[in-house]
Amino acid sequence: MAKKIKRIGILTAGGDSPGLNAAIRGVGKTCLGYYGMELVGFRDGFRGLVENKRLKLDKTTLAGILTVGGTILGTSRDKPHRMVIDGRTKDMTKTIVDNYHEWGLDCLVCLGGGGTQKNALRLQEAGLNVITLPKTIDNDVAMTDATFGFATALDIATETIDRLHSTAHSHHRIIVAEIMGHRSGWLALGSGIAGGADVILIPEIPYDVEHIAAAIKRRSRAGTNFSIVAVAEGAMSRDDARALLAAEKKLERARTLHDRKEAKLELASLEVRHTGNTMRLAKHLEELTQLESRVTILGYVQRGGTPSAADRILATRLGSACGDLINEEHYGVMVAARGDGTEPVPLEKVAGKRKSVPPDHSWVTTARRVGTCMGD
Ligand code: F6P
């Protein structure tokens, strides 16, 4: 009996990043060209599975996308179990499962970050065959050496810091560059080291603004009266970190709906993206050092444009390894980068976990050795 041709669904979810199209191409060319499978693209993350929004993926649509930023499929942060449909939040898991079987899919490939890994595990547990690839500029997905998108964002943020040096030097200023990374500090730490920032602030090492000011003043006394501060958007002062920890503990202890709601509001107010903190930090440093300060928020530039060569290689490697796993019918895993190779890691070990910067990580030690102030 002729072997059934496998039909593979693929989607991209969460924040976009450089390398997504390279990964779609890696999965597509391996599945279609090497293994003779069929590939169906679903638009705008998990919503495309609910609303049957497809993009036909074949040699033509896969041609020329390796170098293209963003995702040809579109993306969203929609969650299968909490999706807003006609203004109401509904659990659409059963609809997705029914559609998956009705459309004769053999596997669903999800390209995404931490949130997507959790959503993918839910669909695996609902009975679908799911494989994920680790994508995000934040590099905070657990159990993988790297995520595609990170290398390109690192290059972009580093070039930005390079360019900020000349204006800070010319005007004898403190320039605070806010760098993405959500609640991890990989992007700020890596680009801070690569760009020679004088201060690097990351969420994993809460800072004391007095210590930062003292380091900047030491530089001034030594005749260098400008400084570059690379601050992760999730970085926070020691006081804020203590308040966040207290709010998290309050939420854990909350027994009534009122207490939970109150604790969640308190937590949300502390967790919002920290551009406000960045502005306050710059102003406070100006007051403490008497050096003018200015702020640059790198924002979405870090997620834009063509992927770097490193990300193209990583995305293609992970994509082609995904095709091999589908051929072996090895499902329920994330294709993790491991050295020069890849490793299938069970989704249970990835979902709900975040890879944060260990305070004793070699990058942190390196930064300290070359005289970088880490805020503590
Ligand atoms: O996860 C990638 C990321 O760019 C984070 O660094 C950032 O905090 C977040 O996405 C921004 O989310 P959104 O694109 O929904 O504004």
Side-chain angles (χ1 to χ4, degrees):
M1 192 166 106
K3 193 178 172 194
K4 176 181 177 299
I5 293 175
K6 283 191 172 63
R7 175 176 295 167
I8 313 305
I10 185 168
L11 61 85
T12 55
D16 77 308
S17 86
L20 272 169
N21 288 322
I24 292 169
R25 174 180 175 275
V27 174
K29 281 182 169 284
T30 304
C31 290
L32 294 173
Y34 191 78
Y35 287 112
M37 301 172 186
E38 280 180 35
L39 196 64
V40 182
F42 290 94
R43 293 183 181 282
D44 302 337
F46 293 98
R47 182 172 291 274
L49 290 169
V50 172
E51 299 176 353
N52 192 16
K53 296 198 294 184
R54 302 183 184 203
L55 175 69
K56 181 173 170 45
L57 291 177
D58 56 23
K59 280 176 71 176
T60 310
T61 46
L62 291 173
I65 67 171
L66 171 66
T67 60
V68 176
T71 160
I72 58 171
L73 293 176
T75 185
S76 74
R77 293 188 182 279
D78 287 315
K79 299 177 173 67
H81 66 295
R82 287 179 52 79
M83 198 176 288
V84 177
I85 305 285
D86 302 330
R88 291 179 53 216
T89 302
K90 296 178 182 174
D91 182 346
M92 300 306 288
T93 306
K94 187 177 181 315
T95 303
I96 290 173
V97 172
D98 292 347
N99 287 348
Y100 172 102
H101 293 302
E102 186 191 326
W103 300 330
L105 297 179
D106 295 283
C107 173
L108 177 66
V109 177
C110 304
L111 280 53
T116 303
Q117 307 299 329
K118 276 195 285 191
N119 293 325
L121 175 60
R122 285 194 184 94
L123 293 181
Q124 176 73 28
E125 289 168 343
L128 306 191
N129 294 326
V130 180
I131 296 179
T132 68
L133 269 59
K135 166 279 307 174
T136 177
I137 66 166
D138 304 339
N139 198 39
D140 62 354
V141 174
M143 307 299 289
T144 179
D145 289 357
T147 59
F148 62 82
F150 176 64
T152 306
L154 197 59
D155 290 345
I156 294 168
T158 300
E159 187 192 347
T160 303
I161 291 173
D162 287 350
R163 291 180 177 280
L164 291 174
H165 272 277
S166 55
T167 180
H169 183 270
S170 306
H171 286 268
H172 321 300
R173 279 173 170 165
I174 299 166
I175 293 200
V176 180
E178 183 185 283
I179 291 158
M180 278 186 162
H182 198 37
R183 295 184 203 157
S184 71
W186 295 106
L187 203 44
L189 179 56
S191 58
I193 293 170
D198 307 294
V199 181
I200 301 175
L201 306 176
I202 60 176
E204 296 86 348
I205 303 178
Y207 59 76
D208 179 329
V209 67
E210 302 280 352
H211 289 187
I212 303 166
I216 292 172
K217 285 191 278 192
R218 278 196 298 276
R219 282 173 52 81
S220 293
R221 284 196 296 275
T224 310
N225 47 13
F226 74 92
S227 286
I228 302 289
V229 179
V231 56
E233 63 179 343
M236 60 183 79
S237 67
R238 284 178 176 164
D239 292 344
D240 278 356
R242 272 193 286 271
L244 185 65
L245 198 59
E248 285 168 343
K249 287 195 182 320
K250 189 173 175 183
L251 182 57
E252 277 169 26
R253 286 195 306 268
R255 292 292 170 263
T256 66
L257 205 55
H258 170 268
D259 289 356
R260 282 187 65 77
K261 201 167 173 192
E262 196 178 69
K264 279 187 173 181
L265 281 173
E266 205 175 307
L267 209 47
S269 70
L270 284 159
E271 282 181 331
V272 292
R273 266 191 291 277
H274 287 257
T275 300
N277 278 9
T278 303
M279 305 307 281
R280 279 190 293 276
L281 172 67
K283 186 172 184 317
H284 201 171
L285 288 174
E286 181 169 301
E287 290 161 0
L288 292 173
T289 64
Q290 299 306 301
L291 286 174
E292 277 189 322
S293 70
R294 292 292 187 272
V295 173
T296 294
I297 310 285
L298 278 61
Y300 295 85
V301 167
Q302 297 161 103
R303 292 199 343 213
T306 187
S308 65
D311 263 339
R312 295 178 196 183
I313 294 169
L314 178 58
T316 304
R317 279 200 308 116
L318 296 177
S320 60
C322 177
D324 292 340
L325 290 171
I326 295 170
N327 182 57
E328 298 157 18
E329 299 187 352
H330 187 162
Y331 302 125
V333 295
M334 174 184 76
V335 185
R338 193 76 70 238
D340 288 342
T342 62
E343 181 186 322
V345 175
L347 287 172
E348 295 82 358
K349 292 190 175 179
V350 181
K353 297 182 179 62
R354 182 187 310 131
K355 185 175 77 177
S356 297
V357 178
D360 61 350
H361 190 273
S362 62
W363 287 15
V364 175
T365 309
T366 297
R368 294 188 194 280
R369 289 287 185 280
V370 297
T372 310
C373 168
M374 296 301 294
D376 57 354

mmCIF file of all heavy atoms in Angstrom, residues 14-16 77 135-138 140 179-183 187 233 273 299-300 302-303, ligand 1:
data_model
loop_
_atom_site.group_PDB
_atom_site.id
_atom_site.type_symbol
_atom_site.label_atom_id
_atom_site.label_comp_id
_atom_site.label_asym_id
_atom_site.label_seq_id
_atom_site.Cartn_x
_atom_site.Cartn_y
_atom_site.Cartn_z
ATOM 1 N N GLY A 14 3.532 34.777 18.571
ATOM 2 C CA GLY A 14 4.276 35.662 19.466
ATOM 3 C C GLY A 14 4.921 36.796 18.692
ATOM 4 O O GLY A 14 4.591 37.043 17.532
ATOM 5 N N GLY A 15 5.861 37.491 19.363
ATOM 6 C CA GLY A 15 6.533 38.624 18.703
ATOM 7 C C GLY A 15 7.287 38.159 17.471
ATOM 8 O O GLY A 15 7.874 37.076 17.468
ATOM 9 N N ASP A 16 7.258 38.995 16.417
ATOM 10 C CA ASP A 16 8.008 38.561 15.221
ATOM 11 C C ASP A 16 9.504 38.688 15.507
ATOM 12 O O ASP A 16 9.930 39.309 16.491
ATOM 13 C CB ASP A 16 7.611 39.406 14.011
ATOM 14 C CG ASP A 16 8.246 40.783 14.040
ATOM 15 O OD1 ASP A 16 8.115 41.462 15.073
ATOM 16 O OD2 ASP A 16 8.927 41.149 13.063
ATOM 17 N N ARG A 77 -0.442 37.117 19.210
ATOM 18 C CA ARG A 77 -0.202 36.565 20.540
ATOM 19 C C ARG A 77 -1.449 35.811 21.038
ATOM 20 O O ARG A 77 -1.605 35.533 22.209
ATOM 21 C CB ARG A 77 0.202 37.668 21.521
ATOM 22 C CG ARG A 77 1.569 38.283 21.194
ATOM 23 C CD ARG A 77 2.048 39.242 22.263
ATOM 24 N NE ARG A 77 3.330 39.862 21.914
ATOM 25 C CZ ARG A 77 4.524 39.283 22.075
ATOM 26 N NH1 ARG A 77 4.592 38.060 22.534
ATOM 27 N NH2 ARG A 77 5.644 39.914 21.734
ATOM 28 N N LYS A 135 12.028 30.545 18.944
ATOM 29 C CA LYS A 135 12.204 31.833 18.288
ATOM 30 C C LYS A 135 12.033 32.941 19.295
ATOM 31 O O LYS A 135 11.110 32.920 20.066
ATOM 32 C CB LYS A 135 11.125 31.983 17.189
ATOM 33 C CG LYS A 135 10.927 33.372 16.614
ATOM 34 C CD LYS A 135 10.063 34.349 17.414
ATOM 35 C CE LYS A 135 8.747 33.891 17.796
ATOM 36 N NZ LYS A 135 8.054 34.878 18.706
ATOM 37 N N THR A 136 12.899 33.867 19.350
ATOM 38 C CA THR A 136 12.707 35.142 20.035
ATOM 39 C C THR A 136 14.018 35.917 20.062
ATOM 40 O O THR A 136 15.086 35.322 20.143
ATOM 41 C CB THR A 136 12.210 34.995 21.498
ATOM 42 O OG1 THR A 136 12.125 36.301 22.091
ATOM 43 C CG2 THR A 136 13.129 34.126 22.339
ATOM 44 N N ILE A 137 13.884 37.230 19.966
ATOM 45 C CA ILE A 137 15.105 38.054 20.059
ATOM 46 C C ILE A 137 15.608 38.057 21.501
ATOM 47 O O ILE A 137 16.732 38.441 21.769
ATOM 48 C CB ILE A 137 14.849 39.509 19.600
ATOM 49 C CG1 ILE A 137 13.885 40.234 20.529
ATOM 50 C CG2 ILE A 137 14.413 39.577 18.144
ATOM 51 C CD1 ILE A 137 13.861 41.745 20.336
ATOM 52 N N ASP A 138 14.760 37.594 22.456
ATOM 53 C CA ASP A 138 15.126 37.677 23.883
ATOM 54 C C ASP A 138 16.100 36.582 24.308
ATOM 55 O O ASP A 138 16.711 36.685 25.376
ATOM 56 C CB ASP A 138 13.866 37.560 24.758
ATOM 57 C CG ASP A 138 12.824 38.597 24.397
ATOM 58 O OD1 ASP A 138 13.187 39.606 23.793
ATOM 59 O OD2 ASP A 138 11.629 38.361 24.691
ATOM 60 N N ASP A 140 15.408 33.826 25.625
ATOM 61 C CA ASP A 140 15.026 33.392 26.978
ATOM 62 C C ASP A 140 14.225 32.093 26.982
ATOM 63 O O ASP A 140 13.608 31.744 27.989
ATOM 64 C CB ASP A 140 14.219 34.485 27.685
ATOM 65 C CG ASP A 140 12.909 34.787 26.967
ATOM 66 O OD1 ASP A 140 12.679 34.229 25.862
ATOM 67 O OD2 ASP A 140 12.096 35.574 27.512
ATOM 68 N N ILE A 179 17.139 48.525 25.878
ATOM 69 C CA ILE A 179 17.230 47.371 24.971
ATOM 70 C C ILE A 179 16.168 46.344 25.329
ATOM 71 O O ILE A 179 15.873 46.137 26.520
ATOM 72 C CB ILE A 179 18.662 46.784 25.062
ATOM 73 C CG1 ILE A 179 19.645 47.792 24.444
ATOM 74 C CG2 ILE A 179 18.782 45.422 24.393
ATOM 75 C CD1 ILE A 179 21.064 47.640 24.906
ATOM 76 N N MET A 180 15.573 45.724 24.315
ATOM 77 C CA MET A 180 14.500 44.758 24.565
ATOM 78 C C MET A 180 15.044 43.502 25.264
ATOM 79 O O MET A 180 16.235 43.401 25.566
ATOM 80 C CB MET A 180 13.838 44.370 23.240
ATOM 81 C CG MET A 180 12.802 45.359 22.765
ATOM 82 S SD MET A 180 11.951 44.736 21.318
ATOM 83 C CE MET A 180 10.484 45.777 21.309
ATOM 84 N N GLY A 181 14.141 42.572 25.551
ATOM 85 C CA GLY A 181 14.542 41.342 26.220
ATOM 86 C C GLY A 181 13.475 40.821 27.149
ATOM 87 O O GLY A 181 13.622 39.792 27.777
ATOM 88 N N HIS A 182 12.347 41.600 27.215
ATOM 89 C CA HIS A 182 11.224 41.204 28.086
ATOM 90 C C HIS A 182 11.743 41.109 29.523
ATOM 91 O O HIS A 182 12.269 42.107 30.012
ATOM 92 C CB HIS A 182 10.623 39.905 27.588
ATOM 93 C CG HIS A 182 9.243 39.660 28.125
ATOM 94 N ND1 HIS A 182 8.321 40.662 28.322
ATOM 95 C CD2 HIS A 182 8.645 38.516 28.550
ATOM 96 C CE1 HIS A 182 7.219 40.142 28.814
ATOM 97 N NE2 HIS A 182 7.377 38.852 28.962
ATOM 98 N N ARG A 183 11.728 39.958 30.135
ATOM 99 C CA ARG A 183 12.187 39.907 31.539
ATOM 100 C C ARG A 183 13.556 39.237 31.675
ATOM 101 O O ARG A 183 13.942 38.812 32.764
ATOM 102 C CB ARG A 183 11.170 39.116 32.379
ATOM 103 C CG ARG A 183 9.827 39.825 32.441
ATOM 104 C CD ARG A 183 8.884 39.093 33.347
ATOM 105 N NE ARG A 183 7.499 39.401 33.006
ATOM 106 C CZ ARG A 183 6.478 38.610 33.313
ATOM 107 N NH1 ARG A 183 6.703 37.465 33.929
ATOM 108 N NH2 ARG A 183 5.247 38.936 32.979
ATOM 109 N N LEU A 187 19.995 40.182 25.812
ATOM 110 C CA LEU A 187 20.238 41.121 24.709
ATOM 111 C C LEU A 187 21.011 42.354 25.205
ATOM 112 O O LEU A 187 21.986 42.782 24.582
ATOM 113 C CB LEU A 187 18.899 41.540 24.115
ATOM 114 C CG LEU A 187 18.844 42.047 22.690
ATOM 115 C CD1 LEU A 187 19.677 41.213 21.746
ATOM 116 C CD2 LEU A 187 17.382 42.096 22.221
ATOM 117 N N GLU A 233 15.036 46.399 29.142
ATOM 118 C CA GLU A 233 13.710 46.978 29.430
ATOM 119 C C GLU A 233 13.106 46.396 30.706
ATOM 120 O O GLU A 233 12.271 47.015 31.354
ATOM 121 C CB GLU A 233 12.761 46.745 28.258
ATOM 122 C CG GLU A 233 12.476 45.291 27.989
ATOM 123 C CD GLU A 233 11.507 45.097 26.832
ATOM 124 O OE1 GLU A 233 10.817 46.049 26.434
ATOM 125 O OE2 GLU A 233 11.436 43.976 26.313
ATOM 126 N N ARG A 273 6.413 47.235 30.814
ATOM 127 C CA ARG A 273 7.697 47.548 30.195
ATOM 128 C C ARG A 273 8.260 48.825 30.824
ATOM 129 O O ARG A 273 7.543 49.751 31.136
ATOM 130 C CB ARG A 273 7.513 47.707 28.697
ATOM 131 C CG ARG A 273 7.788 46.402 27.966
ATOM 132 C CD ARG A 273 7.854 46.656 26.514
ATOM 133 N NE ARG A 273 6.551 47.001 26.016
ATOM 134 C CZ ARG A 273 5.626 46.107 25.692
ATOM 135 N NH1 ARG A 273 5.872 44.835 25.856
ATOM 136 N NH2 ARG A 273 4.471 46.476 25.236
ATOM 137 N N GLY A 299 13.698 49.807 20.895
ATOM 138 C CA GLY A 299 12.383 49.317 20.471
ATOM 139 C C GLY A 299 12.427 48.300 19.343
ATOM 140 O O GLY A 299 13.286 47.436 19.274
ATOM 141 N N TYR A 300 11.494 48.455 18.415
ATOM 142 C CA TYR A 300 11.194 47.421 17.428
ATOM 143 C C TYR A 300 12.209 47.352 16.294
ATOM 144 O O TYR A 300 12.169 46.414 15.494
ATOM 145 C CB TYR A 300 9.762 47.599 16.906
ATOM 146 C CG TYR A 300 8.789 47.376 18.034
ATOM 147 C CD1 TYR A 300 8.461 48.410 18.909
ATOM 148 C CD2 TYR A 300 8.292 46.110 18.301
ATOM 149 C CE1 TYR A 300 7.645 48.195 19.993
ATOM 150 C CE2 TYR A 300 7.466 45.885 19.383
ATOM 151 C CZ TYR A 300 7.157 46.920 20.227
ATOM 152 O OH TYR A 300 6.360 46.704 21.321
ATOM 153 N N GLN A 302 14.995 46.428 16.808
ATOM 154 C CA GLN A 302 15.725 45.196 17.143
ATOM 155 C C GLN A 302 15.053 43.947 16.575
ATOM 156 O O GLN A 302 15.643 42.870 16.543
ATOM 157 C CB GLN A 302 15.827 45.068 18.670
ATOM 158 C CG GLN A 302 16.614 46.203 19.315
ATOM 159 C CD GLN A 302 16.331 46.330 20.795
ATOM 160 O OE1 GLN A 302 17.134 45.920 21.626
ATOM 161 N NE2 GLN A 302 15.192 46.921 21.149
ATOM 162 N N ARG A 303 13.806 44.090 16.127
ATOM 163 C CA ARG A 303 13.077 42.926 15.585
ATOM 164 C C ARG A 303 12.920 43.022 14.070
ATOM 165 O O ARG A 303 12.291 42.171 13.443
ATOM 166 C CB ARG A 303 11.688 42.833 16.206
ATOM 167 C CG ARG A 303 11.729 42.498 17.644
ATOM 168 C CD ARG A 303 10.499 41.954 18.280
ATOM 169 N NE ARG A 303 9.236 42.094 17.643
ATOM 170 C CZ ARG A 303 8.100 42.236 18.334
ATOM 171 N NH1 ARG A 303 8.143 42.285 19.653
ATOM 172 N NH2 ARG A 303 6.950 42.334 17.712
HETATM 173 O O1 F6P B 1 9.537 38.874 22.983
HETATM 174 C C1 F6P B 1 10.070 39.760 22.059
HETATM 175 C C2 F6P B 1 9.727 41.170 22.457
HETATM 176 O O2 F6P B 1 10.257 42.049 21.519
HETATM 177 C C3 F6P B 1 10.226 41.547 23.837
HETATM 178 O O3 F6P B 1 11.617 41.837 23.845
HETATM 179 C C4 F6P B 1 9.361 42.739 24.115
HETATM 180 O O4 F6P B 1 9.236 43.020 25.485
HETATM 181 C C5 F6P B 1 8.018 42.258 23.547
HETATM 182 O O5 F6P B 1 8.320 41.351 22.505
HETATM 183 C C6 F6P B 1 7.167 43.358 22.968
HETATM 184 O O6 F6P B 1 5.890 42.781 22.721
HETATM 185 P P1 F6P B 1 4.898 43.393 21.627
HETATM 186 O O7 F6P B 1 5.481 43.103 20.283
HETATM 187 O O8 F6P B 1 3.610 42.635 21.857
HETATM 188 O O9 F6P B 1 4.808 44.862 21.908
#
